[in-house]
Amino acid sequence: MSAQAETYNVEDYAETYRTPTGMTVKILEPEIGAELSGVDLSQPLRTDTGNDIRAALLRHGVVFFRNQRLDYERHVELASFFGNVIRDGQDQSRPEIFMVKGAGGARDQSANRWHSDACYQAIPPSVSLLRSITVPRLGGDTCFASAVAAYNGLSDEMKERIGHLRYNTDILYATRRSVHASPERYAEMRLKYPPCDHPVVRIHPETGERTLFVNEAYSMGIVGMEQEAAMALIRELSDEFRRPEYQVRFKWTPDALAIWDNRLVQHYAVANQAGDRYLERITVEGTPTLSSADWKAMGNRIAEPA
């Protein structure tokens, strides 16, 4: 009689490690993504636990939690651990909240382009925290891609070509496909956030890593470059985020939470939900974007890939 074939439980076979405070971190993909468990975020956040979450975020770019019954106040409190919360939401009674809505069956929505949140701002947000309220059983996933891996995968010739370039952006261009606010609201926002530009290759201010910061949703041109050539380059660079090797895909469930670092990743909302999808996002203020030249002028060393 032959020996019984060995079987494996998916969770038992996962690559995991423990944080100093005892949370379990399950690594989802080599380049990006981890799921954290062993913490109740509906309770006041201890500083050491928050530091563990921050460390995992910097290491993996995006971290996920399941079964976290956060209310509005706890969501704001958690976001505040990462910095000053941005108050640009559509609801004046809850200005910290940006409502993310998707209709079941809709195939073309404002977030189904690779992007980093609100990089039409001269100082874009650092961290975003998105919690699920209503999610379909089928579809409506969110994909994340590592901007570090996207840059590291470029040829040396391309890295040399783009190292000093900057791209243009404007809130009216960035939100041209959005259905979340009125034209009057966006006119008001444009007064607050006038057109600006950012480095195509950005240095992360905490890790010192180079990241590919250009994106197909918000980048509308390259400073000093003819428009047709600029858009061709933007499309070519944005295609790097489509590589599965750089991605993780998150299946939303009720009471799930995703926290990501906009300086390390880009994301894409998959517009295939079988039912309506409603999530609430809070973003945290960032710091000015830094090119390699800016970073070196500050006396810093750029982190090289391992």
Side-chain angles (χ1 to χ4, degrees), residues 264-275:
L264 290 174
V265 307
Q266 292 190 22
H267 61 284
Y268 178 108
V270 183
N272 68 339
Q273 59 263 29

Side-chain angles (χ1 to χ4, degrees), residues 157-234:
E157 292 77 13
M158 180 60 81
K159 290 176 181 176
E160 179 68 24
R161 179 184 176 191
I162 67 176
H164 68 286
L165 296 180
R166 301 182 69 86
Y167 72 85
N168 305 107
T169 186
D170 183 330
I171 188 172
L172 294 187
Y173 180 84
T175 57
R176 64 199 180 281
R177 302 169 62 247
S178 179
V179 296
H180 293 303
S182 65
E184 293 78 15
R185 170 64 172 157
Y186 282 120
E188 174 188 334
M189 293 289 286
R190 197 182 191 211
L191 291 176
K192 184 174 181 179
Y193 300 118
C196 61
D197 57 74
H198 294 295
V200 169
V201 178
R202 181 182 184 180
I203 303 298
H204 190 283
E206 295 179 67
T207 69
E209 296 170 293
R210 293 183 179 93
T211 69
L212 192 59
F213 196 56
V214 72
N215 65 86
E216 65 177 344
Y218 296 166
S219 304
M220 56 188 293
I222 301 291
V223 176
M225 184 178 291
E226 189 272 332
Q227 186 67 8
E228 184 175 350
M231 296 310 294
L233 178 59
I234 288 169

Side-chain angles (χ1 to χ4, degrees), residues 83-111:
N84 296 323
V85 169
I86 295 173
R87 297 164 60 86
D88 279 344
Q90 305 100 317
D91 182 353
Q92 291 186 357
S93 67
R94 299 190 307 159
E96 302 89 350
I97 300 295
F98 186 86
M99 296 178 283
V100 180
K101 301 177 181 180
R107 294 298 180 184
D108 189 29
Q109 301 182 26
S110 59

Side-chain angles (χ1 to χ4, degrees), residues 75 96-98 100 117 128-130 279-283:
H75 193 182
E96 302 89 350
I97 300 295
F98 186 86
V100 180
D117 282 336
S128 294
L129 301 90
L130 182 64
L279 308 97
E280 293 187 345
R281 189 191 75 209
I282 297 178
T283 53

Side-chain angles (χ1 to χ4, degrees), residues 1-18:
M1 182 180 292
S2 62
Q4 184 177 0
E6 187 172 8
T7 60
Y8 296 95
N9 179 286
V10 172
E11 293 301 314
D12 291 341
Y13 200 65
E15 186 76 19
T16 65
Y17 65 91
R18 291 272 187 169

